[in-house]
Amino acid sequence: MNRFAIPRLFQKASYATKSLLPNKTIKTLLKEDADQVSVRGWVRSVRKQKQVSFATINDGSNLKGIQAILNEKDAQLLTTGACVELQGALIASPGKEQSKELQVNHIKVLGECDTTYPLQKKRHTNEFLRSIGHLRMRGNTGSAVLRVRNAASEGIRDFFREQEFILTNTPILTSHDCEGGGEVFKITPIDSKEPTEFFKKPVYLTVSGQLHAEIMASAMSRVYTFGPTFRAEESLTSRHLAEFWMLEAEMAFIDDLQPLLDVTEGSVQQTTRHVLDTCSDDLAFFNQWVDKSLLERLHKSVDKPFVRMTYTEAIEVLQKVQEKDKNRFKYPTTWGSSLQSEHERYLASEYCQQPVFVTDYPADLKPFYMRANEDGKTVGCFDLLLPGIGELVGGSMREERYGILEQKMKDAKMNMEDYQWYLDLRKYGSAPHGGYGIGFERLLLWLTGLENVREVIPMPRWVGSCKF
Ligand code: 4AD
């Protein structure tokens, strides 16, 4: 025997499949073949009838929860919103809605619910649900969003693990404005007289982990980070939050955009597939109540490659449309101008009718770090545009040539001292590399059919609102 081997007795047990908690979730109970069970959850609704009463109990583990059958006396104890423990027999259900139901023989109310409970069984507007953010996950939309959010993160992690990327963490506090947009939140200790006192320099909440991810990719080759990012966006749109989550991948040893687009497409498609495979009830719910084309659109998007076109080609397409109808777009479609949401939507929703990569934008429209193309006018970058949503991903090859990068930074009037480490990466074994960032809440709009990013993050923050 190998003398370094750990004796069996001291080896850690595998907890991979065994739950360590005393109670089982409703999702698991419904799958197992148990007879007598105990269910814990919150009462969604109670229907009191003469002979028997019905209650729906939900613990967040699935969409429908479980239907409980009780006598009239027991049903008096249950009110919508109460937290309960029900014991009884799990029996085959005669109804079509669920395969099993709970014949209750014992009730314990763990937490009573006041009659002012605002979430009654009826349709509420998204605005109202947002105003009760501490309770909205007790409803179908709020809880389905959280399960899809979870499945999407799982899909992302599976994809990157399979592609041999390392998950890393980039700082939240930073002294850089990666995107150069000036939409940064400044950090100051509450009792500080001088805004720069604590760090002896201005420090902000990060707008992107990219520059730090580049440090790690310069040693580990393939990294990704998944964390909160912050932008002091003044615009009140359905696509912008002040705090949102971004998945950022950075990879060394790619020579041009094509492998970067392949990885981006793979990550979006595999995540979508994972959600389709693991959240079928939730997606069916969104398909029925939110967006009737959801399932068809998602299946179509994982079946075929996304369209790829250059910015120059996109401008040609838009100009042809404008030639036919000069009022079609509000903003100009001349080469060199930004693609506005109306243009992005036209390209993805009408022209391609599927996700489309637009690549190689004019250098003047993009941040300093993007790699200059041979033509001297454009940079090796891309946006991924989705039908109905617009931009989901932004990414690029990074300028890895010291002299060219230094010049770009000087032209952008950046503080060279602050970014010396970024330039140093180009001095000490510079590698051709690139990366991208997926706006996680926008991905969730795609996966649920919901229309506003405020609906797909548990506690949304936007200009003028930071409740809960
Ligand atoms: O295009 P952006 O600004 O790219 C970057 O920040 C790069 N540094 C990422 C990288 O290459 N590592 O942002 C990336 C994505 C956008 O495509 C969009 O989906 C999302 O982040 N996004 C927002 N989502 C919600 N609210 C906002 N205010 C957002 N701003 C950007």
Side-chain angles (χ1 to χ4, degrees):
M1 187 182 135
N2 174 354
R3 72 193 171 92
F4 296 113
I6 305 169
R8 247 193 108 92
L9 203 65
F10 298 110
Q11 277 175 12
K12 268 197 176 166
S14 164
Y15 298 126
T17 51
K18 190 169 164 275
S19 172
L20 301 177
L21 290 168
N23 64 309
K24 288 188 175 166
T25 63
I26 291 175
K27 180 180 167 191
T28 297
L29 285 174
L30 289 174
K31 272 194 286 189
E32 285 181 355
D33 241 354
D35 181 17
Q36 288 297 313
V37 298
S38 159
V39 170
R40 291 179 184 191
W42 292 268
V43 179
R44 279 279 177 92
S45 63
V46 190
R47 265 188 304 135
K48 291 171 188 153
Q49 292 184 352
K50 274 204 187 114
Q51 306 293 332
V52 286
S53 296
F54 300 94
T56 307
I57 313 298
N58 196 297
D59 64 356
S61 62
N62 72 353
L63 180 76
K64 290 182 185 148
I66 190 166
Q67 173 159 274
I69 305 159
L70 333 94
N71 61 39
E72 201 190 339
K73 195 167 131 259
D74 283 350
Q76 302 298 343
L77 297 170
L78 300 190
T79 48
T80 301
C83 181
V84 294
E85 178 181 326
L86 304 183
Q87 284 169 9
L90 208 51
I91 55 169
S93 169
K96 283 195 212 123
E97 276 288 298
Q98 63 278 316
S99 59
K100 293 175 191 166
E101 53 194 21
L102 183 70
Q103 185 85 54
V104 178
N105 55 36
H106 182 73
I107 291 185
K108 190 169 165 193
V109 177
L110 303 175
E112 282 175 7
C113 187
D114 194 81
T115 49
T116 53
Y117 186 58
L119 204 62
Q120 296 301 326
K121 195 177 160 70
K122 63 171 192 168
R123 281 199 91 175
H124 295 288
T125 63
N126 288 330
E127 288 72 25
F128 172 74
L129 290 171
R130 245 184 266 137
S131 75
I132 50 161
H134 55 315
L135 298 168
R136 75 170 169 166
M137 290 94 194
R138 302 255 197 105
N140 278 339
T141 306
S143 60
V145 161
L146 285 195
R147 282 185 297 273
V148 172
R149 237 187 122 92
N150 168 59
S153 331
E154 280 173 359
I156 284 169
R157 277 159 211 250
D158 289 351
F159 174 82
F160 282 109
R161 193 180 52 244
E162 284 163 24
Q163 296 292 326
E164 298 181 68
F165 280 64
I166 284 187
L167 173 61
T168 180
N169 307 108
T170 46
I172 304 282
L173 299 186
T174 156
S175 53
H176 309 97
D177 174 8
C178 169
E179 294 304 294
E183 290 163 334
V184 286
F185 286 104
K186 204 181 244 180
I187 293 291
T188 38
I190 195 157
D191 55 359
S192 132
K193 282 170 212 78
E194 182 18 66
T196 57
E197 204 171 88
F198 192 88
F199 292 107
K200 310 288 176 224
K201 64 195 303 199
V203 165
Y204 318 105
L205 291 177
T206 185
V207 294
S208 160
Q210 176 198 321
L211 303 186
H212 298 103
E214 283 187 61
I215 296 183
M216 302 191 233
S218 300
M220 313 300 286
S221 306
R222 300 174 194 186
V223 299
Y224 75 106
T225 162
F226 187 26
T229 39
F230 309 85
R231 296 195 187 178
E233 298 266 6
E234 292 282 342
S235 45
L236 276 172
T237 82
S238 58
R239 306 283 177 263
H240 291 94
L241 290 162
E243 175 184 280
F244 63 99
W245 282 67
M246 204 186 334
L247 175 284
E248 298 188 81
E250 202 62 37
M251 62 220 81
F253 313 123
I254 50 169
D255 297 320
D256 60 49
L257 269 185
Q258 295 315 311
L260 193 56
L261 302 191
D262 292 342
V263 175
T264 308
E265 184 178 286
S267 56
V268 174
Q269 286 188 327
Q270 185 158 324
T271 303
T272 305
R273 258 186 232 113
H274 184 75
V275 173
L276 280 167
D277 289 348
T278 57
C279 295
S280 50
D281 282 356
D282 294 313
L283 293 191
F285 165 79
F286 287 124
N287 197 70
Q288 183 179 356
W289 297 103
V290 177
D291 173 2
K292 299 248 181 290
S293 63
L294 175 70
L295 285 171
E296 192 193 334
R297 172 164 60 66
L298 293 184
H299 281 292
K300 198 173 137 199
S301 77
V302 294
D303 279 351
K304 55 177 179 180
F306 300 166
V307 179
R308 299 179 183 193
M309 63 164 69
T310 63
Y311 165 89
T312 304
E313 286 162 348
I315 289 291
E316 282 163 15
V317 167
L318 296 169
Q319 283 177 337
K320 279 197 189 122
V321 176
Q322 198 150 33
E323 270 163 33
K324 280 200 198 127
D325 174 4
K326 67 176 177 23
N327 297 322
R328 179 65 178 76
F329 301 120
K330 196 168 149 214
Y331 291 94
T333 53
T334 37
W335 199 97
S337 53
S338 297
L339 293 187
Q340 303 293 328
S341 334
E342 56 174 353
H343 305 135
E344 295 180 344
R345 280 176 198 229
Y346 173 79
L347 290 168
S349 306
E350 292 184 45
Y351 186 72
C352 301
Q353 296 182 18
Q354 60 160 320
V356 49
F357 287 109
V358 179
T359 66
D360 304 288
Y361 283 67
D364 289 346
L365 300 179
K366 294 291 179 184
F368 74 99
Y369 55 74
M370 295 189 174
R371 192 180 197 279
N373 283 334
E374 297 293 301
D375 61 15
K377 291 187 299 191
T378 60
V379 282
C381 70
F382 73 90
D383 282 354
L384 175 62
L385 313 178
L386 298 188
I389 290 171
E391 184 192 327
L392 170 73
V393 188
S396 76
M397 295 299 294
R398 317 304 189 194
E399 186 53 79
E400 86 287 8
R401 297 162 292 187
Y402 190 102
I404 298 177
L405 182 62
E406 187 183 38
Q407 192 53 52
K408 281 182 121 188
M409 290 165 69
K410 282 184 181 155
D411 292 346
K413 301 203 171 23
M414 292 166 64
N415 181 339
M416 302 304 278
E417 214 179 294
D418 273 355
Y419 291 85
Q420 190 52 51
W421 58 267
Y422 191 69
L423 273 171
D424 278 358
L425 293 174
R426 278 70 183 166
K427 193 157 75 176
Y428 304 131
S430 190
H433 67 288
Y436 64 92
I438 302 182
F440 193 52
E441 282 70 29
R442 294 196 191 170
L443 179 64
L444 281 152
L445 294 186
W446 174 246
L447 294 170
T448 59
L450 287 162
E451 284 191 348
N452 194 321
V453 279
R454 296 172 196 172
E455 264 56 274
V456 294
I457 185 163
M459 279 90 205
R461 276 93 175 84
W462 69 91
V463 58
S465 176
C466 185
K467 205 176 167 190
F468 305 105

